[in-house]
């Protein structure tokens, strides 16, 4: 690399580092605000109680469906159960996880808005408004966990909108994995999300070459969807 190339790269590196630090600060700020709202709530939300009790039962060795009555797929309580087992079997652990999930949701919304609007201050204001509107439903829940997976997929697809018909094995596999995790969290919404993730790119097919690319994309995404789904059912 020549000296001139190094000089050109340095401003990019500095901007990248500055953006990374800013994103970390935004994430920390969102988490503190969300957790401060969640932690003072009385334990009265039925969804929170149900999710915690299911996770507690799994952490004690009970098997979903066999020993624990459930109507959704069990990824979220299984993940919560791991933390209950490793740290302490208290509601505060599920509330910390809830704060993490909601932090992920609000930060991803902020990143999506930046892709669409570009103006950072407006994006921060809109994210704050959305966070304020959601404040009464901050708790751990399978629906919001699926929402997080859906928003991450949406953000990634928006970032790659210029390559909508290009096949990228790692990228399409990752999208499939995220959709599969959504199925493992709640089968109905996750299944709908997975169908959309696989089929929507067919709308952009204009010629035979794009059809070939789409078949590769769809196949890779289906494989990605299948892996976490199969693992969950093998466990069960």
């Amino acid at each position: 690399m020549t000296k001139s190339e190094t000089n050109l790269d340095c401003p990019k590196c500095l901007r990248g580092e500055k953006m990374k630090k800013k994103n970390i600060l935004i994430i920390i700020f969102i988490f503190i605000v969300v957790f401060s709202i969640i932690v003072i709530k009385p334990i009265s939300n039925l969804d929170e109680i149900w999710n915690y009790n299911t996770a507690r039962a799994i952490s004690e060795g009970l098997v979903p469906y066999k020993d624990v009555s459930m109507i959704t797929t069990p990824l979220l309580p299984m993940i919560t159960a791991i933390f209950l087992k490793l740290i302490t079997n208290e509601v505060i652990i599920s509330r910390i996880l809830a704060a993490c999930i909601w932090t992920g949701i609000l930060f991803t919304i902020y990143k999506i808005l930046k892709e669409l609007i570009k103006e950072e201050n407006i994006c921060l204001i809109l994210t704050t408004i959305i966070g304020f509107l959601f404040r009464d439903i901050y708790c751990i829940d399978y629906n919001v966990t699926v929402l997080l997976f859906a928003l991450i997929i949406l953000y990634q697809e928006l970032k790659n909108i210029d390559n909508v018909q290009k096949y990228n094995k790692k990228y399409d596999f990752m999208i499939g994995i995220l959709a599969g995790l959504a199925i493992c969290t709640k089968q109905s919404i996750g299944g709908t999300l997975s169908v959309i993730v696989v089929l929507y790119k067919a709308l952009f097919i204009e010629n035979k070459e794009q059809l070939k690319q789409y078949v590769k994309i769809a196949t890779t995404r289906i494989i990605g969807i299948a892996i976490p789904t199969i693992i969950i059912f093998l466990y069960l």
Side-chain angles (χ1 to χ4, degrees), residues 86-143:
L86 292 176
I87 305 172
T88 181
N89 200 335
E90 300 289 344
V91 174
I92 188 65
I93 300 301
S94 65
R95 290 192 164 192
I96 292 170
L97 291 176
C100 291
I101 292 169
W102 277 103
T103 298
I105 287 171
L106 293 173
F107 181 71
T108 308
I109 288 172
Y110 162 71
K111 297 295 284 184
I112 289 170
L113 290 171
K114 278 195 73 176
E115 287 292 321
L116 297 174
I117 300 174
K118 309 299 182 184
E119 177 54 51
E120 186 170 5
N121 290 333
I122 294 176
C123 295
L124 287 169
I125 292 168
L126 290 174
T127 303
T128 302
I129 293 170
I130 292 168
F132 178 77
L133 293 173
F134 285 166
R135 70 193 186 284
D136 291 334
I137 58 170
Y138 287 157
C139 71
I140 194 161
D141 185 73
Y142 40 80
N143 290 310

Side-chain angles (χ1 to χ4, degrees), residues 4-235:
S4 60
E5 288 174 332
T6 304
N7 290 335
L8 285 171
D9 286 339
C10 282
K12 284 186 178 181
C13 293
L14 290 171
R15 283 196 299 271
E17 283 298 314
K18 187 177 179 181
M19 184 59 66
K20 189 182 293 184
K21 289 177 181 177
K22 185 180 288 186
N23 285 338
I24 291 170
L25 289 173
I26 291 171
I27 290 169
I28 292 170
F29 177 75
I30 293 173
F31 178 83
I32 291 170
V33 172
V34 171
F35 184 67
S36 66
I37 293 171
I38 293 174
V39 75
I40 62 173
K41 284 186 176 183
I43 302 175
S44 57
N45 185 298
L46 296 179
D47 284 336
E48 180 182 43
I49 294 168
W50 184 87
N51 280 290
Y52 167 72
N53 280 328
T54 304
R56 179 185 55 79
I58 294 172
S59 72
E60 292 172 354
L62 300 182
V63 180
Y65 310 118
K66 180 183 177 184
D67 305 312
V68 184
S69 177
M70 293 186 66
I71 58 172
T72 62
T73 36
L75 180 63
L76 179 60
M78 287 170 66
I79 292 172
T80 307
I82 292 171
F83 288 96
L84 294 178
K85 191 77 174 176
L86 292 176
I87 305 172
T88 181
N89 200 335
E90 300 289 344
V91 174
I92 188 65
I93 300 301
S94 65
R95 290 192 164 192
I96 292 170
L97 291 176
C100 291
I101 292 169
W102 277 103
T103 298
I105 287 171
L106 293 173
F107 181 71
T108 308
I109 288 172
Y110 162 71
K111 297 295 284 184
I112 289 170
L113 290 171
K114 278 195 73 176
E115 287 292 321
L116 297 174
I117 300 174
K118 309 299 182 184
E119 177 54 51
E120 186 170 5
N121 290 333
I122 294 176
C123 295
L124 287 169
I125 292 168
L126 290 174
T127 303
T128 302
I129 293 170
I130 292 168
F132 178 77
L133 293 173
F134 285 166
R135 70 193 186 284
D136 291 334
I137 58 170
Y138 287 157
C139 71
I140 194 161
D141 185 73
Y142 40 80
N143 290 310
V144 297
T145 307
V146 175
L147 174 61
L148 175 59
F149 291 135
L151 288 171
I152 293 171
I153 290 172
L154 177 59
Y155 173 60
Q156 293 299 325
E157 294 287 62
L158 283 172
K159 277 180 64 178
N160 291 276
I161 195 69
D162 294 333
N163 300 315
V164 70
Q165 280 294 9
K166 290 184 179 179
Y167 173 61
N168 183 320
K169 186 176 181 180
K170 290 182 179 179
Y171 172 78
D172 289 306
F173 182 72
M174 178 200 71
I175 295 294
I177 290 286
L178 288 169
L181 291 173
I183 292 177
C184 295
T185 305
K186 188 174 183 181
Q187 68 276 17
S188 55
I189 306 174
T192 304
L193 177 64
S194 297
V195 170
I196 293 169
V197 159
V198 172
L199 294 183
Y200 92 92
K201 286 201 172 188
L203 298 172
F204 300 95
I205 297 173
E206 295 179 351
N207 53 55
K208 189 175 180 180
E209 183 58 36
Q210 288 182 348
L211 175 61
K212 290 179 181 177
Q213 290 292 305
Y214 169 72
V215 170
K216 291 180 182 178
I217 291 168
T219 302
T220 303
R221 292 188 176 197
I222 289 170
I223 292 169
I225 291 167
I227 288 174
T229 309
I230 290 170
I231 289 172
I232 282 285
F233 281 99
L234 285 175
Y235 161 77

